[in-house]
Amino acid sequence: KAARRALLPHEKAFLSAGALVDVTHEGSSSVWLRTDSATAETLQPDQTMVYRPMGDAEVAYLLQHNALPDTQPYQAIIEGPEGRIYAEKYLNGKKWVDTHPTSVMEFVIPIALRDQLFALQHKAEDGVLSMGLGSKAGGGLPLFNASLQAGDSSWRLVTVKRSAK
């Protein structure tokens, strides 16, 4: 599709590798890429999944450093399938933030890490519980990044919305 030219190189690579599927509907002003979420059957018993809406700069940093940047005061992650639904609200216009999210990232993390982050800070938002990693929230970003860099946590891109223009 001609609109695929709007995709960033990493998005094209994930699409070519079959890690994402183009689900753009005819006449859309944006290109939409998706893949299925992890499921309880694909996780280890001591793992859970959390989701985060991310802008291009944050995604680029994650791709380069296998860590999230310390750039946002709250930096929410939201657990489970309802967490993905909530994160995607930032892409489909139902929620707004000034970092202009274009992607939803899925992180598979140890339940013990989730419990630590939850104990540091959590809050109810639109029927889900988010955990803030940033300095104005729980400050758990160093724990989260250490887990990524140690290989105890992993990430993958599960949703992309890119303007077709």
Side-chain angles (χ1 to χ4, degrees):
K1 294 180 181 179
R4 287 188 182 173
R5 284 182 290 212
L7 297 175
L8 298 180
H10 69 273
E11 295 163 347
K12 289 179 183 175
F14 287 128
L15 182 62
S16 295
L20 291 169
V21 176
D22 188 337
V23 294
T24 308
H25 66 81
E26 191 66 36
S28 177
S29 62
S30 298
V31 177
W32 284 89
L33 307 177
R34 288 183 58 86
T35 193
D36 291 336
S37 294
T39 63
E41 293 78 29
T42 61
L43 299 176
Q44 298 298 317
D46 63 343
Q47 294 177 318
T48 189
M49 60 205 163
V50 296
Y51 295 89
R52 172 153 180 71
M54 296 171 57
D56 292 342
E58 194 175 8
V59 171
Y61 189 94
L62 178 64
L63 288 167
Q64 186 174 4
H65 301 283
N66 194 36
L68 294 177
D70 185 10
T71 54
Q72 294 163 52
Y74 187 68
Q75 217 157 4
I77 55 171
I78 311 97
E79 187 176 17
E82 56 282 343
R84 179 174 180 170
I85 292 166
Y86 179 82
E88 288 179 348
K89 288 180 180 184
Y90 288 93
L91 274 60
N92 63 31
K94 294 189 170 114
K95 293 203 63 80
W96 184 88
V97 68
D98 63 2
T99 55
H100 310 291
T102 56
S103 305
V104 172
M105 206 64 71
E106 176 185 81
F107 296 91
V108 173
I109 67 171
I111 289 172
L113 175 61
R114 186 266 330 261
D115 291 347
Q116 280 183 286
L117 297 171
F118 191 86
L120 288 172
Q121 192 275 339
H122 62 276
K123 71 177 186 177
E125 294 186 74
D126 291 351
V128 298
L129 288 175
S130 68
M131 294 162 273
L133 302 175
S135 60
K136 300 277 189 213
L141 186 62
L143 293 170
F144 192 83
N145 281 342
S147 183
L148 283 170
Q149 294 185 329
D152 298 327
S153 295
S154 61
W155 59 267
R156 69 188 184 116
L157 190 55
V158 294
T159 310
V160 173
K161 178 187 179 187
R162 177 74 48 207
S163 174
K165 297 178 178 152

